[in-house]
Amino acid sequence: MTKQERVLEIIERLKREYPDATCTLDYNEAWKLLVSLRLAAQCTDARVNIVVEKLYEKFPDVGSLAAADVDEIEKIVHPCGLGPSKARDISACMKMLRDEYNGGIPETFEELLRLPGVGRKSANLVMGDVFGKPAIVTDTHCIRLVNRMGLVDGIKEPKKVEMELWKIVPPEEGSDFCHRLVFHGRDVCSARKKPDCEMCCVRDLCPQIGV
């Protein structure tokens, strides 16, 4: 079975296993997703979802958050870890959205990458979830699972994994495929304990079974 054939079968099985898999960060406006993505670095989505509620109570829109003192932002986002750097990035990003995009967000990958605190992973997630464009989000779950499944060969660098996946994953499937990998990585193919291979819906397709 080629990598292309394997990935298509894996995609179909994960669709059946996790039909409703979506981003686990809570947001109702695109700029809020950018904030949550920055806070999610080295922090759980569950904690981020709690913290941002307090942040938006005090700063409910791009303008108010852009005008906020960085120290005020840091005090609220501190529970997410790396508070000072995250607060600085959020402040700078909101200022850029206010000054250059009239409070909206840019709609191209290249422009998203210009925003403070936004890397390829975040830009891809926004492109896929907000704009419905082809996207591949190479988070830790994605990188671990596609290596275990033999879709990439011992590649750990996020951008290189992304480039390899673009070669075999249909563009229209990329975003949802990566969301489903997150769910599968949390529920079955965990990094913190031995993978539960007996419960895995792609067990027979995994060359690393039991490793």
Side-chain angles (χ1 to χ4, degrees), residues 113-172:
L113 288 179
R114 291 180 57 237
L115 298 174
V118 176
R120 296 188 65 87
K121 182 177 75 172
S122 296
N124 267 304
L125 198 147
V126 171
M127 291 303 294
D129 281 32
V130 175
F131 300 118
K133 301 293 185 181
I136 290 178
V137 181
T138 50
D139 68 354
T140 56
H141 292 292
C142 173
I143 294 170
R144 183 178 73 256
L145 267 62
V146 297
N147 272 280
R148 287 185 61 84
M149 294 172 178
L151 301 179
V152 301
D153 302 314
I155 304 173
K156 304 298 183 182
E157 184 181 326
K159 184 177 179 180
K160 290 182 179 179
V161 172
E162 179 191 334
M163 294 302 106
E164 287 300 304
L165 291 178
W166 278 121
K167 298 175 184 178
I168 58 174
V169 175
E172 68 277 9

Side-chain angles (χ1 to χ4, degrees), residues 3-182:
K3 287 183 180 180
Q4 287 85 352
E5 292 169 335
R6 185 184 294 131
V7 76
L8 290 175
E9 181 61 25
I10 289 171
I11 285 170
E12 289 307 310
R13 293 192 192 183
L14 291 179
K15 280 183 181 180
R16 294 194 292 270
E17 193 74 8
Y18 310 100
D20 302 317
T22 58
C23 178
T24 52
L25 291 168
D26 294 337
Y27 68 97
N28 57 9
E29 296 180 74
W31 67 271
K32 292 182 179 179
L33 178 57
L34 288 173
V35 172
S36 290
L37 285 168
R38 183 64 188 97
L39 293 177
Q42 300 182 41
C43 182
T44 65
D45 289 0
R47 176 168 291 182
V48 171
N49 289 338
I50 293 171
V51 169
V52 292
E53 289 186 10
K54 298 177 182 178
L55 185 67
Y56 302 145
E57 283 178 8
K58 191 163 188 178
F59 308 112
D61 51 44
V62 170
S64 59
L65 193 51
D69 187 88
V70 174
D71 289 341
E72 288 187 89
I73 299 173
E74 197 277 330
K75 288 177 184 177
I76 298 173
V77 304
H78 177 76
C80 293
L82 304 175
S85 62
K86 290 180 178 181
R88 286 194 300 270
D89 283 343
I90 289 170
S91 176
C93 182
M94 294 302 107
K95 284 180 169 64
M96 196 167 175
L97 295 185
R98 179 195 64 192
D99 298 342
E100 298 188 26
Y101 297 97
N102 196 31
I105 70 168
E107 298 183 13
T108 70
F109 189 78
E110 292 73 21
E111 286 180 294
L112 285 166
L113 288 179
R114 291 180 57 237
L115 298 174
V118 176
R120 296 188 65 87
K121 182 177 75 172
S122 296
N124 267 304
L125 198 147
V126 171
M127 291 303 294
D129 281 32
V130 175
F131 300 118
K133 301 293 185 181
I136 290 178
V137 181
T138 50
D139 68 354
T140 56
H141 292 292
C142 173
I143 294 170
R144 183 178 73 256
L145 267 62
V146 297
N147 272 280
R148 287 185 61 84
M149 294 172 178
L151 301 179
V152 301
D153 302 314
I155 304 173
K156 304 298 183 182
E157 184 181 326
K159 184 177 179 180
K160 290 182 179 179
V161 172
E162 179 191 334
M163 294 302 106
E164 287 300 304
L165 291 178
W166 278 121
K167 298 175 184 178
I168 58 174
V169 175
E172 68 277 9
E173 299 285 359
S175 182
D176 287 341
F177 175 53
C178 292
H179 283 316
R180 292 185 174 106
L181 288 176
V182 171

